[in-house]
Amino acid sequence: MKLILIIAYILQISCSKALDFKVMLSQMDQHHLGQTFLNALQIGLTAGSPVHEIQSYLNNIRFMLQQEQKDSDIFIQSTQLKCQRLLHDFSTNYAYHSSQLLANQKIVQENTENLQRALNKIAEVSVEIEQNILKTNAGQSERDLQYIEFQSTLKDHNEAISAIDEAYALIEHLANGLSFIQLKGRFNKVINRLTSQSQGITHLFQPIINMMSQLASNTDDSKKLLLLLSGLKVQIVENSNQNKDLEQEASLNWQSFLNDLINEKNTLSDQRQNLEQAILNYQSIIQESSEKSQYHQIEFMKNKENVENQDIWCRQQQDLYSIDSQSRNEALQLISNIVDHIQDKIVTLKEYLRERHQIK
């Protein structure tokens, strides 16, 4: 840079039209750098160096500047290629991690929503399963009570039919000629048996009980009594058969309804199991994608910073290259101007330097 300033100073004084050349040399001699340059020229002239050596000296400077420019051109080309490669790599990584960050954030959001829906749904399914169990238990309890009632009624009917058969046999014996005295013990037993029937049937036996109680004094009603017993037995058998049919129908209806409840529960249980597995999957995906998001967030910021810093550095290198190139070009132009003018001024320069030497 000092050399450039010297050359610029020489060009200024050599090209000026306003001042005398000796006056300019005198002004230059007042500057430290100018003194250094003039001393070098004076030594060269004292040693008898011809003008072409001074020109050669300037040409060497010009060659040095040109070589520096070539080296700078090579360096900036290499730097530009390096910048292009690094910026491309950083930008590619930046774009990749940016897209991956957005993609994983979207996955987290979508699966979080899916998880919430699955949790809400599994709560609904669990309520439906509880309701299914309650309906099954309530229905089974009602069915059990119905069956117990049926068994009790069937037992009453069988007992009543058995009592009727026994009474019928006794009255037949009486009608066939046996005396009431012979059958009295069995009559009392049968009457007690008929009297002890369930309340639902006792009222049916009351007329028969009354007639059997009068057989001791009047056996003429035995045939009529047999007809009543036969009719009552038929009525009880019909009622019993109707109850059996109703019981069978109720049993089939309950079994069908129970099968529906079982199928419904199995479907709900499968649905809940699938939801439980889905919830585990959603939670796993959310955790994995969250971890990936954190990783890509870090890499995204790192590569973003790399792109910005690398771009700044590359611009700085380009600016430095431009500034240095401009300075070298200006220096080369100065040297060219000096070489052009030095022939015209060399005589005046020698005279000034000789006078300068005499003064010192």
Side-chain angles (χ1 to χ4, degrees), residues 118-132 264-275:
L119 291 173
N120 294 339
K121 185 61 179 178
I122 201 172
E124 295 176 2
V125 171
S126 297
V127 171
E128 291 179 3
I129 290 176
E130 290 298 324
Q131 292 175 344
N132 176 278
E264 180 187 60
K265 183 181 179 182
N266 290 337
T267 300
L268 291 172
S269 297
D270 291 342
Q271 188 175 0
R272 181 166 65 180
Q273 185 176 1
N274 293 335
L275 287 169

mmCIF file with all atom_site columns, all heavy atoms in Angstrom, residues 118-132 264-275:
data_model
loop_
_atom_site.group_PDB
_atom_site.id
_atom_site.type_symbol
_atom_site.label_atom_id
_atom_site.label_alt_id
_atom_site.label_comp_id
_atom_site.label_asym_id
_atom_site.label_entity_id
_atom_site.label_seq_id
_atom_site.pdbx_PDB_ins_code
_atom_site.Cartn_x
_atom_site.Cartn_y
_atom_site.Cartn_z
_atom_site.occupancy
_atom_site.B_iso_or_equiv
_atom_site.pdbx_formal_charge
_atom_site.auth_seq_id
_atom_site.auth_comp_id
_atom_site.auth_asym_id
_atom_site.auth_atom_id
_atom_site.pdbx_PDB_model_num
ATOM 1   N N   . ALA A 1 118 ? -59.704 -41.085 19.492 1.00 0.00 ? 118 ALA A N   1
ATOM 2   C CA  . ALA A 1 118 ? -59.694 -42.477 19.951 1.00 0.00 ? 118 ALA A CA  1
ATOM 3   C C   . ALA A 1 118 ? -60.008 -42.558 21.444 1.00 0.00 ? 118 ALA A C   1
ATOM 4   O O   . ALA A 1 118 ? -60.736 -43.457 21.887 1.00 0.00 ? 118 ALA A O   1
ATOM 5   C CB  . ALA A 1 118 ? -58.335 -43.113 19.656 1.00 0.00 ? 118 ALA A CB  1
ATOM 6   N N   . LEU A 1 119 ? -59.461 -41.623 22.225 1.00 0.00 ? 119 LEU A N   1
ATOM 7   C CA  . LEU A 1 119 ? -59.746 -41.605 23.667 1.00 0.00 ? 119 LEU A CA  1
ATOM 8   C C   . LEU A 1 119 ? -61.231 -41.329 23.920 1.00 0.00 ? 119 LEU A C   1
ATOM 9   O O   . LEU A 1 119 ? -61.848 -41.954 24.801 1.00 0.00 ? 119 LEU A O   1
ATOM 10  C CB  . LEU A 1 119 ? -58.885 -40.542 24.352 1.00 0.00 ? 119 LEU A CB  1
ATOM 11  C CG  . LEU A 1 119 ? -57.377 -40.837 24.419 1.00 0.00 ? 119 LEU A CG  1
ATOM 12  C CD1 . LEU A 1 119 ? -56.624 -39.631 24.953 1.00 0.00 ? 119 LEU A CD1 1
ATOM 13  C CD2 . LEU A 1 119 ? -57.104 -42.063 25.287 1.00 0.00 ? 119 LEU A CD2 1
ATOM 14  N N   . ASN A 1 120 ? -61.790 -40.391 23.159 1.00 0.00 ? 120 ASN A N   1
ATOM 15  C CA  . ASN A 1 120 ? -63.225 -40.104 23.306 1.00 0.00 ? 120 ASN A CA  1
ATOM 16  C C   . ASN A 1 120 ? -64.065 -41.316 22.909 1.00 0.00 ? 120 ASN A C   1
ATOM 17  O O   . ASN A 1 120 ? -65.048 -41.657 23.588 1.00 0.00 ? 120 ASN A O   1
ATOM 18  C CB  . ASN A 1 120 ? -63.607 -38.902 22.441 1.00 0.00 ? 120 ASN A CB  1
ATOM 19  C CG  . ASN A 1 120 ? -62.953 -37.615 22.913 1.00 0.00 ? 120 ASN A CG  1
ATOM 20  O OD1 . ASN A 1 120 ? -62.543 -37.506 24.067 1.00 0.00 ? 120 ASN A OD1 1
ATOM 21  N ND2 . ASN A 1 120 ? -62.840 -36.640 22.032 1.00 0.00 ? 120 ASN A ND2 1
ATOM 22  N N   . LYS A 1 121 ? -63.662 -41.962 21.816 1.00 0.00 ? 121 LYS A N   1
ATOM 23  C CA  . LYS A 1 121 ? -64.415 -43.115 21.325 1.00 0.00 ? 121 LYS A CA  1
ATOM 24  C C   . LYS A 1 121 ? -64.325 -44.284 22.289 1.00 0.00 ? 121 LYS A C   1
ATOM 25  O O   . LYS A 1 121 ? -65.335 -44.967 22.547 1.00 0.00 ? 121 LYS A O   1
ATOM 26  C CB  . LYS A 1 121 ? -63.883 -43.524 19.947 1.00 0.00 ? 121 LYS A CB  1
ATOM 27  C CG  . LYS A 1 121 ? -64.692 -44.639 19.288 1.00 0.00 ? 121 LYS A CG  1
ATOM 28  C CD  . LYS A 1 121 ? -66.135 -44.221 19.060 1.00 0.00 ? 121 LYS A CD  1
ATOM 29  C CE  . LYS A 1 121 ? -66.934 -45.313 18.384 1.00 0.00 ? 121 LYS A CE  1
ATOM 30  N NZ  . LYS A 1 121 ? -68.349 -44.936 18.188 1.00 0.00 ? 121 LYS A NZ  1
ATOM 31  N N   . ILE A 1 122 ? -63.141 -44.533 22.847 1.00 0.00 ? 122 ILE A N   1
ATOM 32  C CA  . ILE A 1 122 ? -62.996 -45.669 23.758 1.00 0.00 ? 122 ILE A CA  1
ATOM 33  C C   . ILE A 1 122 ? -63.783 -45.429 25.042 1.00 0.00 ? 122 ILE A C   1
ATOM 34  O O   . ILE A 1 122 ? -64.274 -46.377 25.668 1.00 0.00 ? 122 ILE A O   1
ATOM 35  C CB  . ILE A 1 122 ? -61.506 -45.947 24.064 1.00 0.00 ? 122 ILE A CB  1
ATOM 36  C CG1 . ILE A 1 122 ? -61.345 -47.389 24.565 1.00 0.00 ? 122 ILE A CG1 1
ATOM 37  C CG2 . ILE A 1 122 ? -60.945 -44.980 25.092 1.00 0.00 ? 122 ILE A CG2 1
ATOM 38  C CD1 . ILE A 1 122 ? -59.901 -47.816 24.698 1.00 0.00 ? 122 ILE A CD1 1
ATOM 39  N N   . ALA A 1 123 ? -63.935 -44.160 25.422 1.00 0.00 ? 123 ALA A N   1
ATOM 40  C CA  . ALA A 1 123 ? -64.771 -43.843 26.586 1.00 0.00 ? 123 ALA A CA  1
ATOM 41  C C   . ALA A 1 123 ? -66.234 -44.173 26.278 1.00 0.00 ? 123 ALA A C   1
ATOM 42  O O   . ALA A 1 123 ? -66.950 -44.744 27.119 1.00 0.00 ? 123 ALA A O   1
ATOM 43  C CB  . ALA A 1 123 ? -64.620 -42.371 26.956 1.00 0.00 ? 123 ALA A CB  1
ATOM 44  N N   . GLU A 1 124 ? -66.677 -43.826 25.058 1.00 0.00 ? 124 GLU A N   1
ATOM 45  C CA  . GLU A 1 124 ? -68.049 -44.148 24.655 1.00 0.00 ? 124 GLU A CA  1
ATOM 46  C C   . GLU A 1 124 ? -68.265 -45.659 24.597 1.00 0.00 ? 124 GLU A C   1
ATOM 47  O O   . GLU A 1 124 ? -69.288 -46.169 25.071 1.00 0.00 ? 124 GLU A O   1
ATOM 48  C CB  . GLU A 1 124 ? -68.336 -43.533 23.284 1.00 0.00 ? 124 GLU A CB  1
ATOM 49  C CG  . GLU A 1 124 ? -68.318 -42.009 23.263 1.00 0.00 ? 124 GLU A CG  1
ATOM 50  C CD  . GLU A 1 124 ? -68.501 -41.462 21.862 1.00 0.00 ? 124 GLU A CD  1
ATOM 51  O OE1 . GLU A 1 124 ? -68.685 -42.286 20.933 1.00 0.00 ? 124 GLU A OE1 1
ATOM 52  O OE2 . GLU A 1 124 ? -68.461 -40.233 21.679 1.00 0.00 ? 124 GLU A OE2 1
ATOM 53  N N   . VAL A 1 125 ? -67.291 -46.370 24.026 1.00 0.00 ? 125 VAL A N   1
ATOM 54  C CA  . VAL A 1 125 ? -67.412 -47.824 23.907 1.00 0.00 ? 125 VAL A CA  1
ATOM 55  C C   . VAL A 1 125 ? -67.438 -48.475 25.288 1.00 0.00 ? 125 VAL A C   1
ATOM 56  O O   . VAL A 1 125 ? -68.198 -49.422 25.524 1.00 0.00 ? 125 VAL A O   1
ATOM 57  C CB  . VAL A 1 125 ? -66.243 -48.387 23.060 1.00 0.00 ? 125 VAL A CB  1
ATOM 58  C CG1 . VAL A 1 125 ? -66.221 -49.907 23.110 1.00 0.00 ? 125 VAL A CG1 1
ATOM 59  C CG2 . VAL A 1 125 ? -66.371 -47.914 21.620 1.00 0.00 ? 125 VAL A CG2 1
ATOM 60  N N   . SER A 1 126 ? -66.626 -47.964 26.205 1.00 0.00 ? 126 SER A N   1
ATOM 61  C CA  . SER A 1 126 ? -66.601 -48.517 27.563 1.00 0.00 ? 126 SER A CA  1
ATOM 62  C C   . SER A 1 126 ? -67.957 -48.341 28.243 1.00 0.00 ? 126 SER A C   1
ATOM 63  O O   . SER A 1 126 ? -68.431 -49.243 28.949 1.00 0.00 ? 126 SER A O   1
ATOM 64  C CB  . SER A 1 126 ? -65.499 -47.835 28.385 1.00 0.00 ? 126 SER A CB  1
ATOM 65  O OG  . SER A 1 126 ? -64.222 -48.101 27.831 1.00 0.00 ? 126 SER A OG  1
ATOM 66  N N   . VAL A 1 127 ? -68.581 -47.182 28.024 1.00 0.00 ? 127 VAL A N   1
ATOM 67  C CA  . VAL A 1 127 ? -69.921 -46.950 28.583 1.00 0.00 ? 127 VAL A CA  1
ATOM 68  C C   . VAL A 1 127 ? -70.922 -47.929 27.975 1.00 0.00 ? 127 VAL A C   1
ATOM 69  O O   . VAL A 1 127 ? -71.768 -48.503 28.685 1.00 0.00 ? 127 VAL A O   1
ATOM 70  C CB  . VAL A 1 127 ? -70.361 -45.493 28.328 1.00 0.00 ? 127 VAL A CB  1
ATOM 71  C CG1 . VAL A 1 127 ? -71.832 -45.302 28.701 1.00 0.00 ? 127 VAL A CG1 1
ATOM 72  C CG2 . VAL A 1 127 ? -69.488 -44.528 29.121 1.00 0.00 ? 127 VAL A CG2 1
ATOM 73  N N   . GLU A 1 128 ? -70.820 -48.140 26.663 1.00 0.00 ? 128 GLU A N   1
ATOM 74  C CA  . GLU A 1 128 ? -71.732 -49.072 25.993 1.00 0.00 ? 128 GLU A CA  1
ATOM 75  C C   . GLU A 1 128 ? -71.528 -50.497 26.496 1.00 0.00 ? 128 GLU A C   1
ATOM 76  O O   . GLU A 1 128 ? -72.503 -51.251 26.648 1.00 0.00 ? 128 GLU A O   1
ATOM 77  C CB  . GLU A 1 128 ? -71.511 -49.008 24.478 1.00 0.00 ? 128 GLU A CB  1
ATOM 78  C CG  . GLU A 1 128 ? -71.954 -47.688 23.854 1.00 0.00 ? 128 GLU A CG  1
ATOM 79  C CD  . GLU A 1 128 ? -71.687 -47.649 22.362 1.00 0.00 ? 128 GLU A CD  1
ATOM 80  O OE1 . GLU A 1 128 ? -71.222 -48.669 21.821 1.00 0.00 ? 128 GLU A OE1 1
ATOM 81  O OE2 . GLU A 1 128 ? -71.948 -46.602 21.730 1.00 0.00 ? 128 GLU A OE2 1
ATOM 82  N N   . ILE A 1 129 ? -70.287 -50.871 26.775 1.00 0.00 ? 129 ILE A N   1
ATOM 83  C CA  . ILE A 1 129 ? -70.025 -52.209 27.317 1.00 0.00 ? 129 ILE A CA  1
ATOM 84  C C   . ILE A 1 129 ? -70.643 -52.349 28.707 1.00 0.00 ? 129 ILE A C   1
ATOM 85  O O   . ILE A 1 129 ? -71.251 -53.380 29.035 1.00 0.00 ? 129 ILE A O   1
ATOM 86  C CB  . ILE A 1 129 ? -68.505 -52.481 27.362 1.00 0.00 ? 129 ILE A CB  1
ATOM 87  C CG1 . ILE A 1 129 ? -67.959 -52.642 25.937 1.00 0.00 ? 129 ILE A CG1 1
ATOM 88  C CG2 . ILE A 1 129 ? -68.203 -53.733 28.177 1.00 0.00 ? 129 ILE A CG2 1
ATOM 89  C CD1 . ILE A 1 129 ? -66.456 -52.817 25.869 1.00 0.00 ? 129 ILE A CD1 1
ATOM 90  N N   . GLU A 1 130 ? -70.501 -51.316 29.532 1.00 0.00 ? 130 GLU A N   1
ATOM 91  C CA  . GLU A 1 130 ? -71.103 -51.347 30.870 1.00 0.00 ? 130 GLU A CA  1
ATOM 92  C C   . GLU A 1 130 ? -72.620 -51.457 30.774 1.00 0.00 ? 130 GLU A C   1
ATOM 93  O O   . GLU A 1 130 ? -73.249 -52.219 31.522 1.00 0.00 ? 130 GLU A O   1
ATOM 94  C CB  . GLU A 1 130 ? -70.706 -50.087 31.646 1.00 0.00 ? 130 GLU A CB  1
ATOM 95  C CG  . GLU A 1 130 ? -69.240 -50.023 32.046 1.00 0.00 ? 130 GLU A CG  1
ATOM 96  C CD  . GLU A 1 130 ? -68.854 -51.160 32.974 1.00 0.00 ? 130 GLU A CD  1
ATOM 97  O OE1 . GLU A 1 130 ? -69.691 -51.547 33.815 1.00 0.00 ? 130 GLU A OE1 1
ATOM 98  O OE2 . GLU A 1 130 ? -67.717 -51.666 32.855 1.00 0.00 ? 130 GLU A OE2 1
ATOM 99  N N   . GLN A 1 131 ? -73.202 -50.705 29.845 1.00 0.00 ? 131 GLN A N   1
ATOM 100 C CA  . GLN A 1 131 ? -74.655 -50.781 29.658 1.00 0.00 ? 131 GLN A CA  1
ATOM 101 C C   . GLN A 1 131 ? -75.061 -52.168 29.171 1.00 0.00 ? 131 GLN A C   1
ATOM 102 O O   . GLN A 1 131 ? -76.103 -52.703 29.588 1.00 0.00 ? 131 GLN A O   1
ATOM 103 C CB  . GLN A 1 131 ? -75.099 -49.715 28.656 1.00 0.00 ? 131 GLN A CB  1
ATOM 104 C CG  . GLN A 1 131 ? -74.956 -48.288 29.173 1.00 0.00 ? 131 GLN A CG  1
ATOM 105 C CD  . GLN A 1 131 ? -75.287 -47.253 28.122 1.00 0.00 ? 131 GLN A CD  1
ATOM 106 O OE1 . GLN A 1 131 ? -75.350 -47.561 26.927 1.00 0.00 ? 131 GLN A OE1 1
ATOM 107 N NE2 . GLN A 1 131 ? -75.493 -46.009 28.548 1.00 0.00 ? 131 GLN A NE2 1
ATOM 108 N N   . ASN A 1 132 ? -74.256 -52.751 28.307 1.00 0.00 ? 132 ASN A N   1
ATOM 109 C CA  . ASN A 1 132 ? -74.530 -54.101 27.814 1.00 0.00 ? 132 ASN A CA  1
ATOM 110 C C   . ASN A 1 132 ? -74.502 -55.104 28.960 1.00 0.00 ? 132 ASN A C   1
ATOM 111 O O   . ASN A 1 132 ? -75.377 -55.986 29.055 1.00 0.00 ? 132 ASN A O   1
ATOM 112 C CB  . ASN A 1 132 ? -73.492 -54.472 26.750 1.00 0.00 ? 132 ASN A CB  1
ATOM 113 C CG  . ASN A 1 132 ? -73.643 -55.888 26.238 1.00 0.00 ? 132 ASN A CG  1
ATOM 114 O OD1 . ASN A 1 132 ? -73.177 -56.837 26.862 1.00 0.00 ? 132 ASN A OD1 1
ATOM 115 N ND2 . ASN A 1 132 ? -74.297 -56.043 25.091 1.00 0.00 ? 132 ASN A ND2 1
ATOM 116 N N   . GLU A 1 264 ? -73.133 -58.194 20.596 1.00 0.00 ? 264 GLU A N   1
ATOM 117 C CA  . GLU A 1 264 ? -72.877 -56.759 20.758 1.00 0.00 ? 264 GLU A CA  1
ATOM 118 C C   . GLU A 1 264 ? -71.672 -56.521 21.660 1.00 0.00 ? 264 GLU A C   1
ATOM 119 O O   . GLU A 1 264 ? -70.801 -55.689 21.358 1.00 0.00 ? 264 GLU A O   1
ATOM 120 C CB  . GLU A 1 264 ? -74.112 -56.077 21.349 1.00 0.00 ? 264 GLU A CB  1
ATOM 121 C CG  . GLU A 1 264 ? -73.942 -54.571 21.546 1.00 0.00 ? 264 GLU A CG  1
ATOM 122 C CD  . GLU A 1 264 ? -75.119 -53.953 22.277 1.00 0.00 ? 264 GLU A CD  1
ATOM 123 O OE1 . GLU A 1 264 ? -75.381 -54.365 23.431 1.00 0.00 ? 264 GLU A OE1 1
ATOM 124 O OE2 . GLU A 1 264 ? -75.779 -53.081 21.694 1.00 0.00 ? 264 GLU A OE2 1
ATOM 125 N N   . LYS A 1 265 ? -71.604 -57.271 22.759 1.00 0.00 ? 265 LYS A N   1
ATOM 126 C CA  . LYS A 1 265 ? -70.478 -57.111 23.681 1.00 0.00 ? 265 LYS A CA  1
ATOM 127 C C   . LYS A 1 265 ? -69.168 -57.517 23.021 1.00 0.00 ? 265 LYS A C   1
ATOM 128 O O   . LYS A 1 265 ? -68.135 -56.849 23.191 1.00 0.00 ? 265 LYS A O   1
ATOM 129 C CB  . LYS A 1 265 ? -70.710 -57.951 24.939 1.00 0.00 ? 265 LYS A CB  1
ATOM 130 C CG  . LYS A 1 265 ? -69.604 -57.780 25.974 1.00 0.00 ? 265 LYS A CG  1
ATOM 131 C CD  . LYS A 1 265 ? -69.845 -58.635 27.202 1.00 0.00 ? 265 LYS A CD  1
ATOM 132 C CE  . LYS A 1 265 ? -68.707 -58.474 28.207 1.00 0.00 ? 265 LYS A CE  1
ATOM 133 N NZ  . LYS A 1 265 ? -68.894 -59.340 29.392 1.00 0.00 ? 265 LYS A NZ  1
ATOM 134 N N   . ASN A 1 266 ? -69.195 -58.623 22.265 1.00 0.00 ? 266 ASN A N   1
ATOM 135 C CA  . ASN A 1 266 ? -67.974 -59.058 21.575 1.00 0.00 ? 266 ASN A CA  1
ATOM 136 C C   . ASN A 1 266 ? -67.512 -58.003 20.571 1.00 0.00 ? 266 ASN A C   1
ATOM 137 O O   . ASN A 1 266 ? -66.310 -57.714 20.459 1.00 0.00 ? 266 ASN A O   1
ATOM 138 C CB  . ASN A 1 266 ? -68.226 -60.389 20.860 1.00 0.00 ? 266 ASN A CB  1
ATOM 139 C CG  . ASN A 1 266 ? -68.404 -61.540 21.830 1.00 0.00 ? 266 ASN A CG  1
ATOM 140 O OD1 . ASN A 1 266 ? -67.949 -61.478 22.975 1.00 0.00 ? 266 ASN A OD1 1
ATOM 141 N ND2 . ASN A 1 266 ? -69.066 -62.595 21.389 1.00 0.00 ? 266 ASN A ND2 1
ATOM 142 N N   . THR A 1 267 ? -68.490 -57.434 19.846 1.00 0.00 ? 267 THR A N   1
ATOM 143 C CA  . THR A 1 267 ? -68.145 -56.383 18.878 1.00 0.00 ? 267 THR A CA  1
ATOM 144 C C   . THR A 1 267 ? -67.555 -55.171 19.583 1.00 0.00 ? 267 THR A C   1
ATOM 145 O O   . THR A 1 267 ? -66.544 -54.606 19.147 1.00 0.00 ? 267 THR A O   1
ATOM 146 C CB  . THR A 1 267 ? -69.394 -55.965 18.082 1.00 0.00 ? 267 THR A CB  1
ATOM 147 O OG1 . THR A 1 267 ? -69.913 -57.099 17.379 1.00 0.00 ? 267 THR A OG1 1
ATOM 148 C CG2 . THR A 1 267 ? -69.058 -54.864 17.087 1.00 0.00 ? 267 THR A CG2 1
ATOM 149 N N   . LEU A 1 268 ? -68.190 -54.776 20.683 1.00 0.00 ? 268 LEU A N   1
ATOM 150 C CA  . LEU A 1 268 ? -67.692 -53.627 21.445 1.00 0.00 ? 268 LEU A CA  1
ATOM 151 C C   . LEU A 1 268 ? -66.323 -53.915 22.051 1.00 0.00 ? 268 LEU A C   1
ATOM 152 O O   . LEU A 1 268 ? -65.447 -53.042 22.079 1.00 0.00 ? 268 LEU A O   1
ATOM 153 C CB  . LEU A 1 268 ? -68.692 -53.264 22.547 1.00 0.00 ? 268 LEU A CB  1
ATOM 154 C CG  . LEU A 1 268 ? -70.024 -52.676 22.075 1.00 0.00 ? 268 LEU A CG  1
ATOM 155 C CD1 . LEU A 1 268 ? -70.997 -52.555 23.241 1.00 0.00 ? 268 LEU A CD1 1
ATOM 156 C CD2 . LEU A 1 268 ? -69.819 -51.311 21.420 1.00 0.00 ? 268 LEU A CD2 1
ATOM 157 N N   . SER A 1 269 ? -66.136 -55.147 22.533 1.00 0.00 ? 269 SER A N   1
ATOM 158 C CA  . SER A 1 269 ? -64.839 -55.516 23.117 1.00 0.00 ? 269 SER A CA  1
ATOM 159 C C   . SER A 1 269 ? -63.743 -55.491 22.059 1.00 0.00 ? 269 SER A C   1
ATOM 160 O O   . SER A 1 269 ? -62.631 -55.010 22.309 1.00 0.00 ? 269 SER A O   1
ATOM 161 C CB  . SER A 1 269 ? -64.927 -56.904 23.758 1.00 0.00 ? 269 SER A CB  1
ATOM 162 O OG  . SER A 1 269 ? -65.856 -56.915 24.827 1.00 0.00 ? 269 SER A OG  1
ATOM 163 N N   . ASP A 1 270 ? -64.068 -56.016 20.869 1.00 0.00 ? 270 ASP A N   1
ATOM 164 C CA  . ASP A 1 270 ? -63.092 -55.965 19.769 1.00 0.00 ? 270 ASP A CA  1
ATOM 165 C C   . ASP A 1 270 ? -62.784 -54.520 19.396 1.00 0.00 ? 270 ASP A C   1
ATOM 166 O O   . ASP A 1 270 ? -61.622 -54.163 19.135 1.00 0.00 ? 270 ASP A O   1
ATOM 167 C CB  . ASP A 1 270 ? -63.634 -56.711 18.550 1.00 0.00 ? 270 ASP A CB  1
ATOM 168 C CG  . ASP A 1 270 ? -63.705 -58.215 18.777 1.00 0.00 ? 270 ASP A CG  1
ATOM 169 O OD1 . ASP A 1 270 ? -63.035 -58.705 19.711 1.00 0.00 ? 270 ASP A OD1 1
ATOM 170 O OD2 . ASP A 1 270 ? -64.442 -58.893 18.030 1.00 0.00 ? 270 ASP A OD2 1
ATOM 171 N N   . GLN A 1 271 ? -63.833 -53.706 19.378 1.00 0.00 ? 271 GLN A N   1
ATOM 172 C CA  . GLN A 1 271 ? -63.645 -52.295 19.034 1.00 0.00 ? 271 GLN A CA  1
ATOM 173 C C   . GLN A 1 271 ? -62.770 -51.598 20.071 1.00 0.00 ? 271 GLN A C   1
ATOM 174 O O   . GLN A 1 271 ? -61.875 -50.814 19.722 1.00 0.00 ? 271 GLN A O   1
ATOM 175 C CB  . GLN A 1 271 ? -65.006 -51.603 18.939 1.00 0.00 ? 271 GLN A CB  1
ATOM 176 C CG  . GLN A 1 271 ? -64.944 -50.184 18.390 1.00 0.00 ? 271 GLN A CG  1
ATOM 177 C CD  . GLN A 1 271 ? -66.327 -49.585 18.200 1.00 0.00 ? 271 GLN A CD  1
ATOM 178 O OE1 . GLN A 1 271 ? -67.336 -50.229 18.477 1.00 0.00 ? 271 GLN A OE1 1
ATOM 179 N NE2 . GLN A 1 271 ? -66.385 -48.360 17.727 1.00 0.00 ? 271 GLN A NE2 1
ATOM 180 N N   . ARG A 1 272 ? -63.025 -51.905 21.348 1.00 0.00 ? 272 ARG A N   1
ATOM 181 C CA  . ARG A 1 272 ? -62.203 -51.297 22.399 1.00 0.00 ? 272 ARG A CA  1
ATOM 182 C C   . ARG A 1 272 ? -60.756 -51.775 22.312 1.00 0.00 ? 272 ARG A C   1
ATOM 183 O O   . ARG A 1 272 ? -59.819 -50.977 22.494 1.00 0.00 ? 272 ARG A O   1
ATOM 184 C CB  . ARG A 1 272 ? -62.776 -51.623 23.779 1.00 0.00 ? 272 ARG A CB  1
ATOM 185 C CG  . ARG A 1 272 ? -61.967 -50.999 24.919 1.00 0.00 ? 272 ARG A CG  1
ATOM 186 C CD  . ARG A 1 272 ? -62.695 -51.030 26.231 1.00 0.00 ? 272 ARG A CD  1
ATOM 187 N NE  . ARG A 1 272 ? -62.922 -52.380 26.714 1.00 0.00 ? 272 ARG A NE  1
ATOM 188 C CZ  . ARG A 1 272 ? -63.542 -52.672 27.858 1.00 0.00 ? 272 ARG A CZ  1
ATOM 189 N NH1 . ARG A 1 272 ? -64.000 -51.684 28.621 1.00 0.00 ? 272 ARG A NH1 1
ATOM 190 N NH2 . ARG A 1 272 ? -63.730 -53.914 28.229 1.00 0.00 ? 272 ARG A NH2 1
ATOM 191 N N   . GLN A 1 273 ? -60.572 -53.065 22.022 1.00 0.00 ? 273 GLN A N   1
ATOM 192 C CA  . GLN A 1 273 ? -59.214 -53.589 21.878 1.00 0.00 ? 273 GLN A CA  1
ATOM 193 C C   . GLN A 1 273 ? -58.489 -52.915 20.717 1.00 0.00 ? 273 GLN A C   1
ATOM 194 O O   . GLN A 1 273 ? -57.305 -52.555 20.831 1.00 0.00 ? 273 GLN A O   1
ATOM 195 C CB  . GLN A 1 273 ? -59.260 -55.104 21.669 1.00 0.00 ? 273 GLN A CB  1
ATOM 196 C CG  . GLN A 1 273 ? -57.883 -55.761 21.623 1.00 0.00 ? 273 GLN A CG  1
ATOM 197 C CD  . GLN A 1 273 ? -57.978 -57.272 21.511 1.00 0.00 ? 273 GLN A CD  1
ATOM 198 O OE1 . GLN A 1 273 ? -59.066 -57.833 21.458 1.00 0.00 ? 273 GLN A OE1 1
ATOM 199 N NE2 . GLN A 1 273 ? -56.838 -57.931 21.470 1.00 0.00 ? 273 GLN A NE2 1
ATOM 200 N N   . ASN A 1 274 ? -59.198 -52.738 19.606 1.00 0.00 ? 274 ASN A N   1
ATOM 201 C CA  . ASN A 1 274 ? -58.594 -52.052 18.457 1.00 0.00 ? 274 ASN A CA  1
ATOM 202 C C   . ASN A 1 274 ? -58.259 -50.600 18.794 1.00 0.00 ? 274 ASN A C   1
ATOM 203 O O   . ASN A 1 274 ? -57.216 -50.079 18.376 1.00 0.00 ? 274 ASN A O   1
ATOM 204 C CB  . ASN A 1 274 ? -59.538 -52.106 17.258 1.00 0.00 ? 274 ASN A CB  1
ATOM 205 C CG  . ASN A 1 274 ? -59.714 -53.511 16.714 1.00 0.00 ? 274 ASN A CG  1
ATOM 206 O OD1 . ASN A 1 274 ? -58.842 -54.366 16.878 1.00 0.00 ? 274 ASN A OD1 1
ATOM 207 N ND2 . ASN A 1 274 ? -60.847 -53.769 16.073 1.00 0.00 ? 274 ASN A ND2 1
ATOM 208 N N   . LEU A 1 275 ? -59.150 -49.957 19.540 1.00 0.00 ? 275 LEU A N   1
ATOM 209 C CA  . LEU A 1 275 ? -58.901 -48.573 19.944 1.00 0.00 ? 275 LEU A CA  1
ATOM 210 C C   . LEU A 1 275 ? -57.704 -48.484 20.887 1.00 0.00 ? 275 LEU A C   1
ATOM 211 O O   . LEU A 1 275 ? -56.895 -47.550 20.796 1.00 0.00 ? 275 LEU A O   1
ATOM 212 C CB  . LEU A 1 275 ? -60.146 -47.988 20.614 1.00 0.00 ? 275 LEU A CB  1
ATOM 213 C CG  . LEU A 1 275 ? -61.311 -47.659 19.677 1.00 0.00 ? 275 LEU A CG  1
ATOM 214 C CD1 . LEU A 1 275 ? -62.568 -47.348 20.484 1.00 0.00 ? 275 LEU A CD1 1
ATOM 215 C CD2 . LEU A 1 275 ? -60.964 -46.480 18.775 1.00 0.00 ? 275 LEU A CD2 1
#
